[in-house]
Amino acid sequence: MLWIPIDRSLDIPLIKQVYQQIRERILNGQLKSDEKLPSTRELSSELKVSRNVILEAYDQLLAEGFLVSRRGSGTFVAVGAFLEQHKKASPLHSFIRDEKDEKDADIINFRSGIPALDLFPRKIWAKLSSTIWNETSPSVFGYDFPEGRPELRQVLSHYLLKTRGVDCHPDQIVITSGATQAMTLVSKLLLSPNDTVIMEDPITNDIQTIFKTMGAQLYPIPVDQYGMKTSCLPLNKNPRFVFVTPSHQFPIGGVLPIQRRIQLIHYSRKTNCYLVEDDYDSEFRYEGPPVSSLQGLDPERVLYIGSFSKILSPALRMGYLILPLQLIEQCRKLKWFSDLHTPSLDQLILARFIKEGHLERHISRMKKTYKCRRDFLINCLKTTFSNKINILGDSTGLHLIIEFNEQHFSKELLEEIEQLGVKIYPVEDHTIEKGKYPNQIILGYGHLNNDEIKEGITRMCQAINKSNNKRK
């Protein structure tokens, strides 16, 4: 007789318990091919369960091919249902998100690029969302254009011309799931293994990884307080493209002057390569007028990448890629193969949000908030560290750079700072050529209030002093 333990205290239905245990025994070979099973009446009597429970469990196993029924003979284990079992790997705990760590109120995280999430315009967004969901055509709920909704591309082309000097037709825009997908599309569109990509150094490590994954060879160009040092562009290379963040270099923070922009364009024409412009943090400029895009100077040479992650929220996963005419069709195909299209209803909400002027008003409000937080952070730094530091790249964006005159940030020091509940990020993490920025750290402040900023700087100073005292 086939014995199957039944536990009525479990939330698992009895049918499922019977089915799973017979299935497992067939797979691991405990029940052999052609072995006859008890009749449904016999097994239900033995297990003290309804015959219907056994009937349904058997039916499921028959449907999946584990059992075969032979008229007049009974039910048998099917041939070929045995699967040799291998030892199961241990769970990879490092891939499990630890929400407790993320939400630990005692951790002050100076990560860059995070906006003030608590100031997201929820009421306006919810109102527009309700309107779009209730009024939009049923066709929008189907599959959509890979390049994005025409409503959003149309409003974006006007907005970007007005605010950034971007010269493009709506058909040149591809809506993406954030800047990361835009960069991935660029890499698939332009790169083959061993192609050369010229990049600022330092530059976001994630971007380096995207291009290296495609087999690109990265050629670093140093930066200074004005961004990429275009005088260092190599004449003996034939790069596929030059990647640049001219409006706010990450992480150092320089703004590329017109002379260097023109040098870049001359270089791209001479070497017949493209320029890929990541318009990083350009909306939040606190000193001087807004800086125009590089794309506006040569639309047929520049691929322009933008995102709403820092303006509004990373959770929206909404960005865009603006392409020269000759690359549009191929990029649309790549976007279709990537994910068919970016969520349509979210695009329509964002289009209405921009068209009705909510985006510009939100940016204006947030600039005031971020400027206050930046000023408070600078004051805390100067009060705490006096003349031991230089502050760089603070005119734009949601982070700044602290350069210490006599302090290097070793792995041990970073761990000591984190033990006191503060996370900071070395510039060295984002360099291609290592060893040039051991005394510089990135401090993001957009998502932190004044109390968190002050406490974070205080703890960081305590850890630094403790570390230095150990070495004396």
Side-chain angles (χ1 to χ4, degrees), residues 15-217:
I15 295 168
K16 194 75 170 178
Q17 291 187 47
V18 174
Y19 157 80
Q20 286 178 336
Q21 292 188 65
I22 296 176
R23 177 183 183 274
E24 185 67 26
R25 294 182 191 188
I26 294 172
L27 282 171
N28 64 27
Q30 286 181 277
L31 291 173
K32 309 294 184 184
S33 296
D34 281 330
E35 184 174 339
K36 185 177 181 180
L37 268 63
S39 70
T40 56
R41 192 181 305 279
E42 290 173 329
L43 191 56
S44 66
S45 175
E46 183 71 22
L47 300 181
K48 303 293 189 295
V49 297
S50 165
R51 187 183 175 201
N52 286 336
V53 169
I54 308 302
L55 281 167
E56 289 197 39
Y58 273 25
D59 284 345
Q60 182 68 35
L61 291 161
L62 285 162
E64 294 181 9
F66 288 97
L67 301 179
V68 292
S69 178
R70 297 172 186 166
R71 190 166 185 171
S73 298
T75 303
F76 297 81
V77 176
V79 175
F82 165 69
L83 178 66
E84 184 180 358
Q85 303 297 302
H86 295 288
K87 183 179 180 181
K88 293 183 179 180
S90 300
L92 297 179
H93 298 291
S94 60
F95 290 141
I96 301 173
R97 289 170 65 92
D98 192 336
E99 294 187 6
K100 179 180 181 300
D101 288 346
E102 289 187 357
K103 297 176 181 178
D104 191 337
D106 198 41
I107 294 291
I108 300 171
N109 193 338
F110 283 98
R111 180 178 173 182
S112 62
I114 302 178
L117 301 177
D118 57 322
L119 298 180
F120 180 83
R122 294 190 187 199
K123 289 184 179 179
I124 296 172
W125 195 267
K127 183 179 179 181
L128 293 176
S129 178
S130 177
T131 300
I132 294 297
W133 276 82
N134 288 322
E135 296 180 1
T136 195
S137 165
S139 64
V140 177
F141 289 84
Y143 292 108
D144 216 330
F145 307 101
E147 66 270 25
R149 292 294 306 178
E151 297 91 336
L152 179 55
R153 291 185 288 111
Q154 184 73 41
V155 76
L156 258 182
S157 67
H158 290 300
Y159 171 78
L160 292 171
L161 178 62
K162 173 184 174 183
T163 61
R164 305 292 303 115
V166 171
D167 180 10
C168 75
H169 188 275
D171 287 347
Q172 292 176 255
I173 301 175
V174 172
I175 303 302
T176 64
S177 298
T180 299
Q181 188 185 46
M183 292 173 198
T184 302
L185 289 172
V186 167
S187 68
K188 291 180 178 179
L189 189 65
L190 298 181
L191 291 177
S192 298
N194 297 315
D195 280 347
T196 297
V197 174
I198 291 177
M199 303 184 73
E200 303 163 332
D201 186 19
I203 191 67
T204 312
N205 189 56
D206 292 344
I207 298 173
Q208 298 176 44
T209 301
I210 290 171
F211 297 150
K212 284 192 290 188
T213 299
M214 290 299 296
Q217 304 294 317

Side-chain angles (χ1 to χ4, degrees), residues 5 220 262 315 424 461:
I262 291 173
I424 61 172
C461 181

Side-chain angles (χ1 to χ4, degrees), residues 436-454:
K436 295 183 177 180
Y437 300 90
N439 60 335
Q440 294 188 11
I441 57 172
I442 308 165
L443 295 183
Y445 54 82
H447 59 297
L448 300 175
N449 61 41
N450 287 355
D451 289 340
E452 290 169 325
I453 290 171
K454 184 176 181 179

